Amino acid sequence: MRRALLAQARASAELGSPMYAELLLRAADEPDAVAGVLGDRTGTRHILGMLGTVHRIVLEGRAPELAAHYPTAGGTEDPLRAWPAFRDVLAGHAAEIREGLAEPPQTNEVGRAAPLVGGLLTVAEAAGLPVRLLEIGASAGLNLRADHFRFLYEGGAYGPESPVVLADAWRGLPPVGAPLAVAERRGCDPNPLDASSPDAQRRLLSYVWPDQAERVARLRAAFEVAARVPAEVVRMGAADFLDGLAPREGVATVVWHSTMRAYLSRDEAARVDRGIEEAGAAATAAAPLAHLSFEGRDASRLDAVQVVTLRLWPGGERAVLGEAPAHGLPTTWL
């Protein structure tokens, strides 16, 4: 447990959350304080689940002493001194926090739109067709609206005026001159969230690290975009959602996902890959199919550096387009 907590503390520091890095370092020094919550569940998803569930309790107003250290709850006390109050919440809400570990974190990180849209522009340039966008592990479907975000890069910007502005989105450039039009946007998730629901918004916010003001602002801005851009997200596993997948004449069908393969069982991941391969084999120039992903190099863990990978049929050759930190910003195009 101590090794796992220290590893996640390092990852939190690398990804820009001194608060979570400090909390996890303190937890590693006092493993008994988290043992009653984590038990033998020490994977990244479980540690993030613990942090997220505590954050949700804070956002619901049920931990005022700890809330004083959380900027997302209006707290003004030093976030790096939150450990004693955090430890008290672990003890007082242990059963609820253990229950929260059963569900995967629902991050729906808006910053991951940077690698995804860059890859989508690559598809649009190659295909010259409108896009039929399908997302697996879509959570609340915020990134299904990513073509309505604005991306800033050195010397320019891409996308419409938008509440969501991704600063320093790209190092190097994807093909920003490609005509991109999204004709359909659908996704799936085992536990989809309604982006218009205050409860769902609070759940999504709970998985954003509370001392990362830019991520918090991006998420809240994405709720505004979701309110005016429709997208359907159905309650379904990834493999079932892709069952019967086929290319469609006159559109480029794009299956995309980000930081979700680690949550699939080996069997489901194999079914997903098989479904995409079979659909790709039926693709033509008039009905192309693409598989676009932003995932860790090792899909069994949530790496700090992830790669943007594209397979485009006909052909289906694999190309690594770029890489980025796990939250997507900045994306460096290769």
Side-chain angles (χ1 to χ4, degrees):
M1 179 182 292
R2 188 170 189 276
R3 285 195 300 271
L5 291 166
L6 289 173
Q8 189 57 47
R10 285 194 297 273
S12 298
E14 290 170 2
L15 290 170
S17 178
M19 179 184 185
Y20 273 4
E22 177 66 15
L23 284 173
L24 293 170
L25 286 172
R26 296 295 300 272
D29 289 339
E30 300 183 43
D32 288 348
V34 295
V37 170
L38 290 177
D40 60 357
R41 297 181 290 182
T42 56
T44 297
R45 62 172 286 183
H46 300 118
I47 294 173
L48 293 178
M50 174 185 71
L51 294 169
T53 305
V54 171
H55 193 182
R56 177 174 54 77
I57 291 169
V58 167
L59 292 171
E60 290 174 351
R62 295 189 286 129
E65 291 188 8
L66 182 56
H69 299 273
Y70 276 64
T72 46
T76 57
E77 298 293 328
D78 187 351
L80 301 184
R81 297 182 179 274
W83 171 248
F86 187 91
R87 181 180 54 203
D88 290 345
V89 171
L90 291 179
H93 298 267
E96 180 179 354
I97 298 168
R98 282 196 299 270
E99 185 177 335
L101 303 187
E103 296 182 354
Q106 290 266 16
T107 306
N108 211 177
E109 174 54 50
V110 178
R112 292 177 186 140
L116 291 172
V117 168
L120 201 62
L121 285 165
T122 303
V123 175
E125 180 184 55
L129 293 169
V131 168
R132 172 193 177 206
L133 185 57
L134 307 174
E135 181 172 19
I136 53 177
S139 188
L142 299 180
N143 284 333
L144 281 169
R145 288 93 164 181
D147 56 313
H148 289 262
F149 301 167
R150 189 158 179 82
F151 303 83
L152 307 184
Y153 54 89
E154 186 176 1
Y158 173 80
E161 293 297 324
S162 173
V164 179
V165 178
L166 303 184
D168 194 20
W170 296 328
R171 308 279 175 87
L173 283 180
V176 293
L180 176 59
V182 179
E184 178 183 347
R185 52 188 97 229
R186 296 181 63 244
C188 75
D189 196 273
N191 182 32
L193 299 179
D194 178 359
S196 67
S197 160
D199 286 344
Q201 291 180 2
R202 186 162 47 244
R203 177 170 170 77
L204 288 168
L205 181 58
S206 73
Y207 285 109
V208 175
W209 301 350
D211 56 339
Q212 295 189 321
E214 288 187 5
R215 286 182 68 204
V216 171
R218 285 197 298 267
L219 179 64
R220 288 177 166 151
F223 295 150
E224 294 182 43
V225 174
R228 58 180 173 82
V229 180
E232 180 186 19
V233 182
V234 298
R235 185 179 300 276
M236 192 177 294
D240 289 339
F241 180 72
L242 296 179
D243 187 32
L245 174 69
R248 184 179 297 171
E249 194 88 8
V251 293
T253 298
V254 178
V255 178
W256 83 6
H257 53 88
S258 60
T259 319
M260 58 78 69
R261 276 189 71 97
Y263 298 111
L264 297 180
S265 68
R266 184 175 298 177
D267 287 346
E268 183 163 25
R271 285 180 61 201
V272 166
D273 291 341
R274 187 164 56 249
I276 294 173
E277 288 271 1
E278 291 173 354
T284 66
L289 184 134
H291 178 200
L292 174 62
S293 68
F294 177 60
E295 299 282 352
R297 289 183 174 88
D298 177 356
S300 68
R301 39 189 291 236
L302 300 178
D303 285 340
V305 175
Q306 301 187 172
V307 292
V308 191
T309 304
L310 175 66
R311 295 186 69 190
L312 179 61
W313 288 268
E317 295 179 0
R318 181 179 185 272
V320 176
L321 304 181
E323 63 182 20
H327 294 149
L329 297 170
T331 298
T332 299
W333 298 103
L334 305 180

